[in-house]
Amino acid sequence: MKEFFPGIGQIRFEGPKTKNPLAFRCYNAEEKVGKKTMAEHLRFSVVYWHTMKGGGTDPFGPTPVYDRPWDAATDPMARAEDTMRAAFEFTGKLGAPFWAFHDRDIAPEADTLAESNQRLDRIVALAKTLQKDTGIKLLWGTSNCFSHARFTHGAGTNPDPHVFAWAAAQIKKAMECTKTLGGMNYVFWGGREGYSNLLNTHLKQEQDQMARLLHMAVDYKKKIGFKGTLLIEPKPKEPTKHQYDYDAATVLSFLRAHDLFDEFSLNIEANHATLAGHTFEHDLTVAAAEGRLGSIDANRGDPLLGWDTDQFPTDLYSSTYAMMVILKQGGLKPGGVNFDAKLRRGSFDLEDLFHAHIGGMDAFARGLKIAHRIIEDGQVDDFVKSRYAGWRRGVGKQILSGKASFQDMEAYVHQHGEAAKTSGREEWLEALINSYL
Ligand code: XLS
Ligand code: NI
Ligand code: NI
């Protein structure tokens, strides 16, 4: 069989001292951290769209800069099959246990829905065989309802129900494909589900439409017996000026308002959280606080560039804070750490793909180990626990039980006078985190 990454073998753990750029320094799949192995904690996933289909293009250079050997065939379906084989070769050599795709990444769209679906069936059959041969599993599937011209004004939120029907039909098929491949989750990212100008937009109507689309998805999931988790991936903007699934808090309240709360979890992406003016750990914490953190898209933005740069995650603070939230909720399963990340335009070699994923996996493996130690040592948690101690006794307990009134509070203040000043100890805590790095 044709090899797409000749000269690159299985990537192995060689430890922190290795000089080999094609080896892991920290990620050691079988090594235990607490009760689980690193592989079980992290559940790494490779994305098809950036890793296999990315060309290094940008708005000033729409022609691809990357030459990929799997793009050589002239027939689009032969190219799609080569790409799928290359994806499994790459993911296998990297040692990542999962992958993720959009319908239109794996099979190019044809002139009619029927033909497009036939193309998908052909490629999904190949993917199923490759999954069986390699043991690599599908973390999630999704539908691209944002690239085609018909989706210019949105998919589920389009002013034209004809376009809504297209989105629903595409999602129906993508969910079937995900089920066929044993996918553990199905993701909704609302690419153009938002608006660019309120003057031409009926905001309430569009949000009601979106809720209908999600209800249809829930109904269809139940109808076909798809067992995966439905995930919504918040993002505040880009490509629209304002996206309706702005951030974790917005999506959670949308789900509640539309009677969808029990049916969905969230897929939190680092660069989307920062675009929303939050930190990654903020949105993870908001989702986890409601028991709704399902999976993560691991990447990072660039503070000097104001868009979704989707760079590979290499920041140890960020991976440590993220893993603290994830460990405290008992892991991500059936979700995982999905590298929704791309190479920079100038990183066009095939090796760059390995370097990038290895770097991201090592950053999360280190984050995992550091977070585990921070939690085991307990100093941070003890501090937080003691900070809120007043709520576990006396008047605090009474307030939380719902038994206290404004009059009781007034009487309490009359009796106890001024409250004591207590330091929040932020500088000590930040220095403490550094001592674990
Ligand atoms: C784009 C999103 C997208 C989703 C899947 O910004 O991150 O890649 O993860 O549609
Ligand atoms: Ni993104
Ligand atoms: Ni994403």
Side-chain angles (χ1 to χ4, degrees):
M1 216 217 278
K2 190 152 136 206
E3 219 188 341
F4 295 94
F5 301 90
I8 298 182
Q10 189 67 41
I11 307 299
R12 300 188 194 283
F13 170 72
E14 292 184 7
K17 296 220 168 68
T18 185
K19 293 252 174 10
N20 179 3
L22 293 173
F24 295 116
R25 286 165 176 68
C26 188
Y27 180 64
N28 186 4
E30 295 313 317
E31 184 182 324
K32 282 207 163 167
V33 177
K35 291 203 176 67
K36 290 190 273 188
T37 64
M38 287 196 186
E40 288 165 337
H41 277 291
L42 294 164
R43 299 170 61 79
F44 287 126
S45 160
V46 170
V47 306
Y48 213 88
W49 51 103
H50 290 312
T51 299
M52 306 314 298
K53 304 291 288 178
T57 58
D58 69 18
F60 299 92
T63 322
V65 244
Y66 309 161
D67 297 314
R68 301 307 196 203
W70 51 89
D71 282 339
T74 40
D75 171 56
M77 285 306 284
R79 206 153 60 224
E81 290 186 348
D82 277 351
T83 309
M84 188 58 78
R85 291 203 177 88
F88 277 84
E89 185 189 327
F90 176 77
T91 309
K93 284 182 168 175
L94 184 68
F98 295 100
W99 68 297
F101 72 95
H102 298 85
D103 47 3
R104 302 305 182 231
D105 306 333
I106 60 172
E109 185 155 3
D111 291 337
T112 64
L113 182 67
E115 266 178 277
S116 298
N117 287 352
Q118 276 163 20
R119 287 182 170 191
L120 270 171
D121 289 338
R122 188 169 141 190
I123 292 295
V124 165
L126 172 64
K128 200 169 177 179
T129 308
L130 291 166
Q131 285 192 162
K132 202 161 157 260
D133 293 349
T134 58
I136 295 165
K137 297 189 170 80
L138 179 63
L139 188 69
W140 49 263
T142 187
S143 177
N144 179 332
C145 293
F146 43 88
S147 294
H148 193 281
R150 79 175 73 88
F151 297 123
T152 298
H153 300 298
T157 62
N158 200 289
D160 182 355
H162 192 152
V163 180
F164 179 104
W166 258 97
Q170 253 186 249
I171 293 168
K172 172 180 179 288
K173 181 66 182 174
M175 199 186 283
E176 289 163 12
C177 294
T178 303
K179 180 180 181 245
T180 303
L181 292 170
M184 309 223 160
N185 307 270
Y186 184 89
V187 166
F188 293 81
W189 168 61
R192 294 185 196 272
E193 310 292 25
Y195 66 82
S196 71
N197 198 321
L198 272 181
L199 288 174
N200 69 6
T201 303
H202 191 329
L203 184 141
K204 172 81 168 70
Q205 154 82 29
E206 291 199 356
Q207 296 198 343
D208 288 347
Q209 291 173 210
M210 194 63 213
R212 285 317 318 154
L213 186 76
L214 296 177
H215 273 289
M216 285 183 188
V218 171
D219 291 346
Y220 195 64
K221 171 190 162 168
K222 290 180 181 160
K223 184 177 162 47
I224 63 173
F226 172 55
K227 297 276 177 277
T229 307
L230 299 181
L231 296 168
I232 297 189
E233 181 179 323
K235 184 175 181 180
K237 57 188 165 196
E238 196 199 276
T240 62
K241 181 169 80 176
H242 185 106
Q243 217 174 285
Y244 295 133
D245 51 6
Y246 197 94
D247 60 1
T250 311
V251 172
L252 290 170
S253 83
F254 178 89
L255 292 173
R256 275 209 179 85
H258 295 278
D259 196 21
L260 289 159
F261 192 79
D262 295 334
E263 307 292 350
F264 288 84
S265 280
L266 302 186
N267 180 40
I268 301 296
E269 178 164 321
N271 204 168
H272 296 181
T274 53
L275 277 180
H278 305 309
T279 58
F280 186 26
E281 56 272 21
H282 167 90
D283 250 26
L284 293 172
T285 304
V286 170
E290 305 244 19
R292 281 289 171 275
L293 174 58
S295 199
I296 68 169
D297 272 9
N299 62 13
R300 74 185 157 97
D302 184 319
L304 300 185
L305 301 171
W307 63 90
D308 196 13
T309 59
D310 284 338
Q311 287 155 232
F312 274 83
T314 48
D315 181 332
L316 291 184
Y317 283 106
S318 176
S319 63
T320 299
Y321 289 140
M323 289 313 301
M324 281 169 70
V325 181
I326 291 166
L327 285 178
K328 282 189 188 174
Q329 75 155 24
L332 287 172
K333 201 176 172 190
V337 175
N338 180 53
F339 289 112
D340 191 355
K342 65 184 179 213
L343 299 175
R344 268 81 146 223
R345 187 171 163 84
S347 306
F348 33 67
D349 289 342
L350 289 177
E351 275 119 284
D352 290 314
L353 278 176
F354 280 94
H355 295 162
H357 285 82
I358 291 169
M361 288 162 84
D362 272 341
F364 266 85
R366 285 189 66 187
L368 165 65
K369 285 180 122 176
I370 298 163
H372 177 72
R373 274 199 289 131
I374 293 172
I375 293 170
E376 285 281 286
D377 288 358
Q379 285 196 79
V380 177
D381 283 339
D382 286 348
F383 178 78
V384 176
K385 201 171 167 208
S386 74
R387 195 162 182 236
Y388 293 88
W391 294 92
R392 292 191 294 277
R393 58 178 181 244
V395 70
K397 205 170 166 189
Q398 201 192 341
I399 295 168
L400 288 183
S401 72
K403 287 188 197 117
S405 66
F406 268 8
Q407 299 93 299
D408 296 329
M409 296 299 97
E410 186 186 45
Y412 186 87
V413 172
H414 281 316
Q415 193 190 340
H416 295 272
E418 193 48 78
K421 270 171 38 186
T422 316
S423 168
R425 297 268 188 266
E426 289 176 68
E427 292 76 7
W428 171 67
L429 286 163
E430 285 166 352
L432 181 64
I433 296 295
N434 276 352
S435 73
Y436 296 97
L437 292 168

